[in-house]
Amino acid sequence: MTPIPDSRSMSYSRGEITTFVMPHMQNMLGDLFGGHLMALVDQAAAVAAIRHAGGPAVTASIDRVDFRARIPVGALVTCIATVDYVGNSSMDITIEVTAERPSTGEKQHTHTAHAVFVAIDAEGRPKRVPRLVAETDEERQRIGVHHERPLGLALGPADERPRLRRGGALVEQRRVGGRQAGAVAD
């Protein structure tokens, strides 16, 4: 078994999925159904999380999706996921969605989503993830945004934090960038 490195670059951990919007994926208006979009967002985020963790990672939350524009049947939809911040076992991921009209090549940013994933070991317990290394000014800025809105603000002393079990893993409710999120305790 190859050991996981101490750090990974943001570019290494990038996930991307592209697919056509097919007729069976449409809503009543003839556009991409929101549930199909959520599945694509989760898959792209999973690719980024699994690459960064060097193994299994699970969705802890998809705590925000901003719907900006409709995506018609026949469009190419691309989801690009980037790991923007890591804790001990958790990874904050931003997913940008674009739609492309194949006949013209015109692209439009249609959605942005934010997710938290947790790396797990073979027994389903949280495992440590590599540090995240920014190589460009844009990447340093993305990480810097997370330093300004700290990850994992405790709701109280550790013994007072609400906890629950999810899939055998101990989960802690915490604040993530001003949002309430359930994530495996770091």
Side-chain angles (χ1 to χ4, degrees):
M1 185 170 162
T2 308
I4 295 177
D6 291 339
S7 63
R8 287 220 162 103
S9 67
M10 289 178 87
S11 61
Y12 177 87
S13 302
R14 186 175 182 263
E16 183 173 336
I17 292 178
T18 300
T19 191
F20 277 108
V21 178
M22 305 297 283
H24 72 278
M25 301 165 78
Q26 69 182 310
N27 62 19
M28 291 177 27
L29 301 173
D31 299 315
L32 179 63
F33 183 66
H36 283 285
L37 175 69
M38 292 295 292
L40 292 170
V41 161
D42 192 35
Q43 290 170 14
V47 170
I50 291 166
R51 278 186 176 153
H52 189 80
V58 295
T59 309
S61 71
I62 297 180
D63 48 299
R64 184 174 181 136
V65 179
D66 295 323
F67 292 85
R68 294 191 171 112
R70 298 161 47 171
I71 301 175
V73 168
L76 277 170
V77 62
T78 301
C79 299
I80 298 174
T82 56
V83 177
D84 295 330
Y85 190 81
V86 298
N88 289 325
S89 61
S90 64
M91 296 160 279
D92 269 24
I93 300 169
T94 299
I95 308 93
E96 300 288 340
V97 181
T98 58
E100 179 181 344
R101 185 174 301 201
S103 59
T104 64
E106 175 189 351
K107 293 181 182 179
Q108 179 183 15
H109 177 219
T110 59
H111 302 78
T112 300
H114 298 280
V116 176
F117 272 68
V118 175
I120 58 171
D121 63 18
E123 288 78 40
R125 293 184 303 242
K127 74 170 193 173
R128 184 169 290 283
V129 294
R131 285 184 315 107
L132 185 62
V133 177
E135 298 173 312
T136 68
D137 288 338
E138 179 186 344
E139 290 174 350
R140 281 185 276 283
Q141 183 178 18
R142 288 180 84 106
I143 290 174
V145 167
H146 285 277
H147 286 293
E148 292 169 11
R149 37 172 218 177
L151 185 75
L153 293 177
L155 299 175
D159 55 353
E160 294 177 15
R161 293 182 200 154
R163 294 175 182 260
L164 54 106
R165 291 224 174 251
R166 199 180 285 159
L170 184 61
V171 177
E172 172 179 310
Q173 294 295 312
R174 62 188 181 131
R175 305 276 318 158
V176 178
R179 306 174 304 261
Q180 182 70 28
V184 176
D186 275 342

